[in-house]
Amino acid sequence: MKHILTDIEGTTSSISFVKDVLFPYARRALPGFVAAHGHEPAVRRWLDQVAAENGGLCQDEMIVETLQGWIDEDRKHTALKALQGMVWKDGYGRADFTAHMYPDAVEALKAWHAAGQAISVYSSGSVPAQQLFFGHSDGGDLTPLVSNWFDTEVGGKREAASYRRIVEALGVPASEVLFLSDVVEELDAARDAGLGTVLLDRREDYPQPRTGEATHGHARAESFADIRP
Ligand SMILES: CSCCC(=O)C(=O)COP(=O)(O)O
Ligand SMILES: [Mg+2]
């Protein structure tokens, strides 16, 4: 494999960091963020999209409530993800938290990069949120390891067409890309597009091992140390 494509939550990083630290932070900070920045075009664009999709909500307070509901449901909506990224920027900037990275992921990403393997990221988090995450991680600034960043602007993670677009953007044959994820439906879509796949089945995130039929036939690893690209 010449190119690694990795998911973040549940793959390089723990689900609990995202659910218990990042999401509650965004939930709390959204009202103040929208009040302070809602007039800026880069923010307004996403607020207006949420309003339009919800029958033309007219008050920012209602838009914020909608977004907070989506956070509670873990909706992977592009507008929510873009706004979350903007909110988290303050948190990282003030060193309220650093992004969790499993030590085995840090070690492997560094080793693969040093060996000349290209590494890209595909996450539901917006590209700016991904870059903040890797830039302020427990393992330090890991952004120099990553050559390309993809979010749901390329399409949903459970759709094969998204992986075809990614492969086209990377300019390599699908068979030379290895996608790493904790979600079998994402891996199914990547496999349909011709990519190699590995299911990350970390005990910290998935206490019940997913084996046999539960892997949908994907190679399975409990740590990046088990992956041989
Ligand atoms: C990298 S931004 C924080 C994570 C996030 O918001 C998210 O939805 C992660 O989903 P993933 O596709 O990485 O499982
Ligand atoms: Mg994931």
Side-chain angles (χ1 to χ4, degrees):
M1 293 288 175
K2 294 210 171 83
H3 209 117
I4 302 286
L5 178 67
T6 185
D7 166 58
I8 296 180
E9 181 187 354
T11 301
T12 61
S13 309
S14 74
I15 293 175
S16 79
F17 170 70
V18 174
K19 295 244 157 50
D20 302 333
V21 178
L22 286 184
F23 286 0
Y25 185 96
R27 200 182 197 293
R28 276 194 309 274
L30 255 177
F33 176 82
V34 169
H37 302 283
H39 62 284
E40 295 168 16
V43 177
R44 192 75 246 162
R45 167 191 173 205
W46 297 115
L47 297 176
D48 287 347
Q49 187 176 318
V50 175
E53 281 179 25
N54 285 271
L57 294 176
C58 45
Q59 290 173 354
D60 279 356
E61 207 180 319
M62 291 168 74
I63 297 173
V64 166
E65 276 173 25
T66 300
L67 287 164
Q68 288 175 324
W70 287 359
I71 291 174
D72 297 343
E73 292 166 21
D74 192 11
R75 278 278 299 273
K76 306 290 190 187
H77 192 287
T78 304
L80 169 65
K81 293 292 156 187
L83 292 163
Q84 279 179 322
M86 296 178 199
V87 170
W88 291 328
K89 189 171 181 200
D90 290 342
Y92 287 115
R94 284 201 299 261
D96 287 345
F97 44 76
T98 53
H100 177 263
M101 292 284 292
Y102 285 111
D104 60 81
V106 176
E107 199 175 318
L109 291 172
K110 285 183 176 170
W112 294 338
H113 182 261
Q117 200 112 37
I119 298 166
S120 292
V121 171
Y122 180 30
S123 167
S124 306
S126 67
V127 166
Q130 297 170 21
Q131 292 169 338
L132 284 165
F133 197 107
F134 270 61
H136 299 81
S137 88
D138 295 346
D141 179 6
L142 303 177
T143 55
L145 306 181
V146 178
S147 58
N148 296 75
W149 309 84
F150 299 96
D151 61 21
T152 53
E153 298 226 42
V154 84
K157 293 182 76 185
R158 299 177 185 208
E159 296 162 23
S162 307
Y163 298 88
R164 291 196 190 98
R165 286 185 201 109
I166 288 173
V167 163
E168 200 181 319
L170 296 177
V172 293
S175 59
E176 291 185 6
V177 182
L178 184 65
F179 179 53
L180 316 178
S181 176
D182 62 316
V183 176
V184 284
E185 290 80 4
E186 296 175 4
L187 295 166
D188 291 347
R191 182 171 56 196
D192 287 349
L195 285 73
T197 53
V198 176
L199 172 68
L200 267 295
D201 196 36
R202 294 182 176 278
R203 292 286 61 75
E204 295 91 331
D205 293 318
Y206 296 87
Q208 292 294 104
R210 291 171 293 171
T211 55
E213 285 182 11
T215 67
H216 288 203
H218 299 289
R220 176 182 169 279
E222 295 198 358
S223 143
F224 272 38
D226 300 335
I227 301 169
R228 299 276 168 271

